[in-house]
Structures are given as C-alpha cells and as structure tokens.
Amino acid sequence: MNQTIETILNHRSIRKFKDEALTKEQIHTIVKAAQQASTSSNVMAYTIIGITDNALKEELYKVSGHSHVKNNAHLYMFCGDLHRIYQLANADEKVTIADNLESTEQFIVATIDATLAAQNAALAAESMGLGICYIGSLRNDINRVNELLELPEHVIPLFGLVVGYPDHQPDIKPRLPLEAIYHENKYSPFHEQQKHIEAYDNEMKQYYETRSSNTKIDTWSDQMLRKFSEPTRMDVTPFVKQKGFNKK
Amino acid sequence: MNQTIETILNHRSIRKFKDEALTKEQIHTIVKAAQQASTSSNVMAYTIIGITDNALKEELYKVSGHSHVKNNAHLYMFCGDLHRIYQLANADEKVTIADNLESTEQFIVATIDATLAAQNAALAAESMGLGICYIGSLRNDINRVNELLELPEHVIPLFGLVVGYPDHQPDIKPRLPLEAIYHENKYSPFHEQQKHIEAYDNEMKQYYETRSSNTKIDTWSDQMLRKFSEPTRMDVTPFVKQKGFNKK
C-alpha cells in the first residue's frame, strides 16, 4: 500500500487541535493542492476564504455550535463561485449568460468543483500530519455566513474545513459494506442492499459501545431515521435561489 | 514534498489508456478509498456503479461523445443517493421524511458526499500509477444515463470517472493564480481579482500555443464566455426535481 492510500484509509475527523499554528507556506501548499483538482471545463467555479480574524471565527463558531470551528490552526471556507464568470460576461455587451449560469446544472458544477478542491486540500493536510474536519454545520445559518464573508451574487458558502495538529486520535469510523455502496452495471435494488445495511447496523452498534470515547447505544439506521425526521436547513432552498444559483 | 502532495500536484486528465485491465483488487481498493472520505453526518448519500458490460459502456459513450468513456480500464459512475434513507423510513410508519429529504440542502449533501468519495478514488488511482478523467459530459443526456443504470427515485447520476494505465502524458494545465481563488476573511471584489485573471489569460494563451499537442489560440476568459453563451443541459433542472431532489 502506498503512502497516499494509507493517508486516505487512515482518515478520521479531528475535532481537538493542539495550540500550534500553521506556517503561511503550509496554508498555501494546501490551497495549491486544492487548485490542482479536476474542474469542470476548467471553470474553477469556487473560491476558498481563509479565516485569520479571530472575531470572525467567533461569529462563524456561533453559527456552527462546534468549538473546533474557533479552536483550530486554520479554517478554510469553501464557496461555490460563478461570480467571476458573470462579471466577465457583464463586461462584454455581446454575451448574455444568466439563464445558463443560474441553472441547476451550473449549481451542480460549482458544488462539485468546490468539493473536488476541498478533498485535495483535506488529503494534502492529512499527508502533512495534520488533522481535518469538514464543517457542514455552517449551513445552520447560511444567510449569516453569507453576510459575514461578504459574498456577492453568484457566490454561496458550501462548507468549512478546519485544519490543525491533532490533539486526539479518535477511532476510524466503519463505513457501509462495499457491496451496499458499489454496484455493477445497474443500481442494486434496496432489498439486495438490506442485508449489508443490517450487517453495518450490527457493526456500528459494537463500534459505538466499545469505541475509546463517547460510547453509546445506537445503529446507523436509527441515526438516519432520527436525523431525517426533523426538517433542517430548509432556508438553504430560498437562499441559494436568491443568490442566483439553481433558479432556472 | 511527500508522495501524496506530489500525486496531487502531478494531476492531469488522461484521455488515452493502454489496453491493460485492472485487477478486481485494484477496482475494489479504489472503491474502499472512496468510502473512507468524510461524509455529512455519516449519511453516505452516494452510490458508485462500476461499468463492466461493454454494450452499456457503448451506450454511455454515445451520451458523452468522448471515446475515453468506452476505451478505458474501468468506468465508475458516481450517483447522489438518498434512496437508501427513503426506503429505511418507508419501512417505519412513525417516520415522515419527504420534505427534508427532498430539500436543496439534502441535494447539496448528496452532491458533496459523492464528490468527496470520487476525489479519494481519483487520487487513490493516481497514486497507483493510473490515470483518471472525470466525465461530466454524461449529463449531456442525464435522463438516458438514469434509464441505462436503472436508477430508482432519489438516485441521480452526477458524473463518471474513467481509470486506466495512461497512454499519453499531457502537460499539466495551469490554474488561476492562488490570489484569485484564495481570499482572506471576506470575498475579494472582482476588480481585485481582475489583474490575476489577466495574468492567467496571458499564461493560458502561451500554454495553448506551446503545449505538446492540440495547440490553439485561446484564453481562459474567451473560453468561459463561449461556454456560458450557449445554454446547455437545461434539462438537468426538471430531471433532478422529477427524481425527488431539490424540490422543496
């Protein structure tokens, strides 16, 4: 097994960091790694915002509710960005692009581009001995994050990525069996996936009962049912449209 | 620089592959790497479909128009998948989840989850000496791909990933300068990005004129204006909703 695959398979989300800063070079190496990811037709439909202002970090922490959003060596915010393209077109009288730019297709492109870049950043950081955690909880109040980062039209915050030197070593969380996630030539009906989900529920029950911290009695299926029973972040829908994404 | 960062920075999309198969172990190692990526609240809102049937590859090639969709060692299709969760809830009379499941938020979650997994797969493959290319052009006819893969409600095809032993070595394509993509604490207004975009246009003009194959006269800005002037894939919008994503 090579070092890259080892790094990939050794991933666990890190939520406690040592009080040790990153160098500017480390911060930029991670961004350069992000930029080298594939991007749809070279659009590069994303922007990364590094948060160095502690007052701003505090405000972002209030949206997320997770202390690792303020206690980390660096916080990167990943945004879907079609503003650049829109402005280029605005400067050219012959070009009208709004219908195309504001389609669901381009919303997908921006989300994928930002995420490909982010996973490169995450792995670059992990390969340097740093720990990472994605912060989807910044979408708990996406309007507030939008305001804090002063995002113009056609730019939306998607998620954060916190980075730093790990101060704990959580167990690696098991995933659904390969057979549930990986199908051949066509989608395997749910009834064929069920036995793998049951096996995973048993594995997760054991994992939660015996892991090194925060033990509990739970299964994946129960977690999912609880999670999806409560409508959450329903304001993301109008927000995204209001910013000029996913409208047409 | 460690091996992972070297692999990341050495990325170029590969569109010509040697006629050399992957072992089942290689195919599965790539999937296991994909599965170890972060996933929002452990939902794992994606499915990967490996295409081994040549007749099916031929049909997917017809949608894409790119010959590397049929000529490769393996084609993985990445799908956003909330069907699993929907079926779990369906079996439980006490739970109603449709509003939540069909929101833009969960559409974002599924797209991000699938993409994080895909970039792990891409880097795992590249670290093994394989080449990769993402295939967004399968969204040229997303309804047809949906039909070919027999995807149920709450599963949508997002993109393909072709893998194989490289049979060419294209130049690495330059990216926008770091300063255009990476901002600090708040979004840098477009007028501050402009000089970096101009520098990139000059760099890309040179790159296209002098690269080892397929030379042309072009800039990034011109490419983007041409690309976005023509509405494309507008049928993705109704398709996604019809499949039960991004509706509420």
Side-chain angles (χ1 to χ4, degrees), chain A residues 63-75:
Chain A
V63 172
S64 153
H66 293 303
S67 61
H68 49 289
V69 172
K70 58 177 171 180
N71 302 322
N72 54 62
H74 201 63
L75 165 58

Side-chain angles (χ1 to χ4, degrees), chain B residues 6-212:
Chain B
E6 254 175 54
T7 301
I8 287 172
L9 297 181
N10 196 38
H11 166 72
R12 71 271 327 258
S13 292
I14 298 298
R15 295 179 173 87
K16 282 181 205 159
F17 298 101
K18 289 183 184 151
D19 188 15
E20 194 177 338
L22 301 189
T23 64
K24 196 164 184 173
E25 198 194 337
Q26 285 175 308
I27 291 172
H28 281 189
T29 297
I30 290 168
V31 174
K32 281 178 195 155
Q35 290 192 265
Q36 211 47 45
S38 293
T39 152
S40 176
S41 305
N42 207 27
V43 174
M44 299 176 268
Y46 65 94
T47 284
I48 306 168
I49 302 182
I51 312 299
T52 56
D53 174 344
N54 282 332
L56 179 54
K57 255 191 184 174
E58 180 71 30
E59 293 304 312
L60 291 167
Y61 154 69
K62 285 183 197 162
V63 173
S64 154
H66 294 302
S67 61
H68 49 289
V69 172
K70 59 178 170 179
N71 301 322
N72 55 60
H74 201 62
L75 166 58
Y76 296 97
M77 288 296 312
F78 284 80
C79 305
D81 187 346
L82 290 167
H83 180 71
R84 228 170 262 131
I85 306 293
Y86 189 75
Q87 291 297 105
L88 282 178
N90 254 357
D92 188 328
E93 280 176 11
K94 297 183 300 298
V95 179
T96 319
I97 61 167
D99 266 19
N100 193 12
L101 196 91
E102 298 187 338
S103 65
T104 297
E105 162 66 13
Q106 299 307 334
F107 176 49
I108 292 176
V109 162
T111 306
I112 291 174
D113 269 15
T115 307
L116 292 174
Q119 188 54 12
N120 263 13
L123 284 172
E126 289 178 326
S127 77
M128 290 153 71
L130 300 166
I132 66 106
C133 189
Y134 281 97
I135 314 290
S137 53
L138 287 162
R139 297 195 304 277
N140 286 347
D141 190 349
I142 199 166
N143 282 282
R144 177 69 179 143
V145 174
N146 174 62
E147 186 182 278
L148 287 168
L149 302 179
E150 301 181 24
L151 304 182
E153 215 187 351
H154 303 116
V155 184
I156 46 170
L158 288 168
F159 49 81
L161 180 74
V162 293
V163 178
Y165 288 94
D167 200 21
H168 67 152
Q169 169 105 343
D171 300 327
I172 293 178
K173 194 183 274 181
R175 298 295 194 242
L176 276 166
L178 181 138
E179 295 76 10
I181 286 288
Y182 184 63
H183 309 182
E184 213 166 304
N185 294 315
K186 60 177 183 177
Y187 193 83
S188 302
F190 181 70
H191 64 83
E192 289 177 15
Q193 297 179 40
Q194 259 173 317
K195 62 175 177 292
H196 306 301
I197 293 174
E198 281 164 27
Y200 184 58
D201 276 340
N202 288 330
E203 188 182 3
M204 286 305 281
K205 194 163 172 286
Q206 275 243 318
Y207 165 80
Y208 283 129
E209 276 172 16
T210 59
R211 68 178 175 182
S212 53

Side-chain angles (χ1 to χ4, degrees), chain A residues 39 51 53 62 72-73 75 87 107 141 147 153 165 167 175 183 195 207 214-215 220 226-227:
Chain A
T39 152
I51 312 300
D53 173 346
K62 284 183 197 162
N72 54 62
L75 165 58
Q87 291 297 103
F107 176 50
D141 190 350
E147 187 182 277
E153 215 188 350
Y165 288 95
D167 200 23
R175 298 295 194 244
H183 309 180
K195 61 176 177 293
Y207 166 78
N214 193 19
T215 58
W220 182 73
R226 286 200 308 279
K227 177 182 160 56

